[in-house]
């Protein structure tokens, strides 16, 4: 099995997901968006595609033109019903490709916070995450695509996850974030943290407490989703 991970910044990689994929015998190739060409054939051919996060928006195509190709490739893959997982920006790109709105909110949700699952969410592969603090790092929000199921919410962002059919899963939050490597996030997003008034010391402390529990739940979610596929 071959997984293609579309990466937008180096430190937002597969993280915990990589370990699960390795255990299941997947080989992983990274496509660095903006550096590597995004070809529809390559995106379609992979057994699994994971579109990862990044500090830009789906509406930023005028200044980041590679997003045109990424959206088109993801749209083609979703039309074909090929297994696709989106995280944060990746989920927003999936929602956009499926015709749902994605927009800035003027506020941010950054740091560890618990999810509340919807009824559909509790009956999904996300069940191990109910009430578990996950890492949030976003200011944009996506709408739920037509024919998709809304799976999770937080008080400030009601659309935290969606499932589209049996093969596509979009997550606004960072299930993949490895708490033992959170320092890379704190350094990489230092300007945003300062601009939005979030204290990296608090996120670091929360990662030490919530991270191990999240890691176990994340493994269960990814294993269950791959089994379902």
């Amino acid at each position: 099995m071959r997984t293609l991970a579309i990466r937008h910044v180096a430190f937002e990689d597969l993280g915990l997901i990589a370990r699960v994929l390795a255990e299941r015998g997947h080989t992983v190739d990274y496509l660095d968006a903006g550096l590597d060409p995004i070809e529809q054939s390559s995106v379609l051919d992979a057994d699994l595609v994971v579109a990862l996060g990044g500090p830009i928006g789906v509406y930023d195509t005028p200044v980041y033109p590679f997003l045109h190709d990424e959206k088109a490739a993801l749209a083609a893959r979703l039309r074909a019903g090929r297994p696709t997982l989106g995280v944060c920006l990746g989920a927003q790109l999936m929602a956009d490709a499926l015709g749902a709105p994605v927009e800035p909110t003027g506020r941010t949700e950054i740091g560890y916070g618990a999810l509340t699952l919807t009824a559909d969410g509790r009956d999904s592969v996300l069940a191990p995450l109910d009430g578990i603090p996950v890492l949030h790092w976003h200011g944009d929000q996506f709408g739920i695509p037509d024919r998709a199921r809304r799976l999770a919410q937080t008080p400030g962002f009601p659309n935290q996850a969606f499932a589209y059919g049996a093969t596509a899963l979009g997550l606004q939050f960072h299930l993949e974030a490895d708490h033992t490597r959170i320092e890379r996030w704190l350094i990489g997003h230092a300007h945003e943290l300062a601009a939005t008034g979030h204290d990296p010391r608090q996120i670091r402390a929360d990662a030490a407490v919530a991270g191990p529990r999240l890691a176990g739940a994340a493994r269960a979610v990814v294993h269950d989703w791959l089994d379902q596929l």
Side-chain angles (χ1 to χ4, degrees), residues 146-159:
D146 290 343
R147 302 188 302 280
R149 294 179 297 137
R150 188 174 72 91
L151 304 180
Q153 61 191 23
T154 58
F157 287 82
N159 298 333

Side-chain angles (χ1 to χ4, degrees), residues 16-41:
L16 298 172
I17 296 173
R19 300 177 193 175
V20 177
L21 294 175
E23 291 169 5
R24 299 177 72 107
H26 284 236
T27 60
V28 174
D29 296 316
Y30 278 98
L31 187 161
D32 285 308
L35 299 177
D36 302 326
I38 302 175
E39 299 172 348
Q40 285 195 28
S41 59

Side-chain angles (χ1 to χ4, degrees), residues 115-126 130 144 148-153 158-164 168-171 173:
L115 287 176
T116 299
L117 300 186
T118 65
D120 280 339
R122 291 191 295 274
D123 192 35
S124 77
V125 297
L126 297 189
D130 201 11
I144 302 299
R149 294 179 297 137
R150 188 174 72 91
L151 304 180
Q153 61 191 23
N159 298 333
Q160 286 282 354
F162 67 86
Y164 184 77
L169 181 64
L171 307 176
F173 53 91

Side-chain angles (χ1 to χ4, degrees), residues 189-209:
H189 290 306
H191 178 74
E192 182 181 24
L193 291 173
T196 56
H198 290 86
D199 189 339
R201 293 170 294 187
Q202 184 63 59
I203 298 172
R204 185 183 296 118
D206 290 344
V209 174

Side-chain angles (χ1 to χ4, degrees), residues 29-119:
D29 296 316
Y30 278 98
L31 187 161
D32 285 308
L35 299 177
D36 302 326
I38 302 175
E39 299 172 348
Q40 285 195 28
S41 59
S42 297
V43 175
L44 277 170
D45 287 346
D47 295 301
L48 170 65
V49 163
V50 183
L52 293 163
I56 58 177
V58 301
Y59 41 79
D60 284 331
T61 48
V63 288
Y64 297 102
F66 70 83
L67 288 169
H68 285 292
D69 293 337
E70 186 171 359
K71 291 178 185 181
L74 288 173
R77 187 171 177 89
L78 291 166
R79 285 196 301 270
R82 302 282 283 152
T84 309
L85 173 64
V87 176
C88 200
L89 172 61
Q92 294 163 8
L93 288 165
M94 288 171 60
D96 180 84
L98 292 168
V102 180
E103 57 194 4
T105 64
R107 60 189 188 280
T108 57
E109 188 174 42
I110 296 176
Y112 285 84
L115 287 176
T116 299
L117 300 186
T118 65

Side-chain angles (χ1 to χ4, degrees), residues 1 18-27 222-228:
M1 299 288 286
R19 300 177 193 175
V20 177
L21 294 175
E23 291 169 5
R24 299 177 72 107
H26 284 236
T27 60
V222 178
H223 273 300
D224 288 351
W225 188 64
L226 293 173
D227 287 343
Q228 174 185 286

